[in-house]
Amino acid sequence: MEGVYDVDLSRASSVQLTQLLQEYVTTRDMEPASIKPLRAAIRSFSEHLARPANVSDFAPIALNSWLAVEVSRVKRRTAKNYRSAIITLWRWAFEEELTDAAPRRIRPVKAPLAPVEAYTPEEVERLLAACDTLTNRFCRLRVERRLLYRALILFAFHTGFRPNDLMRLKWSQVAENGCVRIVQHKTGHQVVRWVDKDTLGASEAIRLDET
């Protein structure tokens, strides 16, 4: 494994988690939005330790002490995300033999699911009306702004897709009957949704090719 990483494996336990994250990202096709929670967890853990966190800090006592503080300081959902992020890095470091300690005995953080807040049909109509006031075009796409925004708003409302998935959507994933199938970029899970005729019509209005 020597030569594959920019870290000195003989001194791997002293490698800072910020550097570990850089190495982890190079092995993955990750969007900035997916890297952000990992970076936030490292920053929070380092602030708790009052020094830069490193691989040797992957230990139940240190992590559980940190999480106990975070549960009382931030939202439980945030603390749960911190826990998941640190365990992800710890597991990867263990798999790559950067630490002999396997992830274990980290206190769970229970976070109730919050109700999903969605736009009402009336709010969507106001957004669509605002689109109609736009008159210019996207130069590179050769598409009117009002038409592109209308299609994106309708697709987002009917499918609930993340912005990254919306921007990656291809015509081959949209059936004539309104069935839309994608593999989520973030999770790798297949998702199936249905859209109505108005949404299909708005999409046809910005169609440039068969892809």
Side-chain angles (χ1 to χ4, degrees):
M1 214 179 305
E2 204 162 347
V4 177
Y5 302 105
D6 292 333
V7 300
D8 181 354
L9 299 187
S10 65
R11 302 175 58 191
S13 63
S14 64
V15 173
Q16 294 185 8
L17 297 193
T18 51
Q19 186 178 359
L20 182 71
L21 176 59
Q22 292 176 0
E23 299 293 342
Y24 176 76
V25 169
T26 62
T27 68
R28 304 283 194 282
D29 178 20
M30 299 182 67
E31 294 289 332
S34 300
I35 301 172
K36 185 177 180 180
L38 296 169
R39 187 175 290 120
I42 293 173
R43 182 171 58 250
S44 173
F45 189 32
S46 296
E47 289 175 354
H48 173 74
L49 297 172
R51 59 170 173 78
N54 56 51
V55 172
S56 65
D57 294 314
F58 284 146
I61 293 178
L63 292 172
N64 285 329
S65 173
W66 164 58
L67 289 173
V69 172
E70 293 305 282
V71 165
S72 62
R73 190 181 72 86
V74 299
K75 293 181 179 179
R76 297 188 73 86
R77 173 61 57 182
T78 300
K80 185 174 183 178
N81 290 341
Y82 284 170
R83 178 183 184 274
S84 298
I86 287 295
I87 289 179
T88 294
L89 292 174
W90 187 358
R91 184 178 295 113
W92 183 77
F94 178 72
E95 291 172 352
E96 299 299 325
E97 301 179 5
L98 300 178
T99 176
D100 294 331
R104 60 193 178 91
R105 298 205 306 269
I106 303 303
R107 59 175 290 173
V109 178
K110 296 182 179 180
L113 292 175
V116 176
E117 295 184 8
Y119 286 108
T120 65
E122 293 75 18
E123 289 171 330
V124 172
E125 287 300 324
R126 290 201 293 271
L127 286 173
L128 295 175
C131 289
D132 292 335
T133 65
L134 302 175
T135 57
N136 53 348
R137 292 172 176 265
F138 287 100
C139 297
R140 292 180 60 186
L141 297 178
R142 309 189 309 279
V143 173
E144 293 183 43
R145 287 179 182 267
R146 65 182 181 88
L147 297 179
L148 179 59
Y149 287 147
R150 171 176 286 273
L152 287 175
I153 289 169
L154 287 172
F155 247 97
F157 180 66
H158 286 285
T159 65
F161 289 166
R162 294 183 177 90
N164 281 340
D165 291 325
L166 283 174
M167 301 307 293
R168 287 181 169 83
L169 198 61
K170 298 182 178 180
W171 279 106
S172 58
Q173 298 170 299
V174 183
E176 293 182 358
N177 62 357
C179 180
V180 185
R181 298 175 183 271
I182 69 166
V183 175
Q184 289 181 329
H185 182 73
K186 180 177 181 179
T187 66
H189 298 160
Q190 178 173 281
V191 177
V192 179
R193 296 288 187 270
W194 294 81
V195 298
D196 60 13
K197 291 182 178 180
D198 288 341
T199 304
L200 288 176
S203 303
E204 284 284 354
I206 62 170
R207 188 168 187 165
L208 296 177
D209 53 44
E210 295 300 317
T211 60

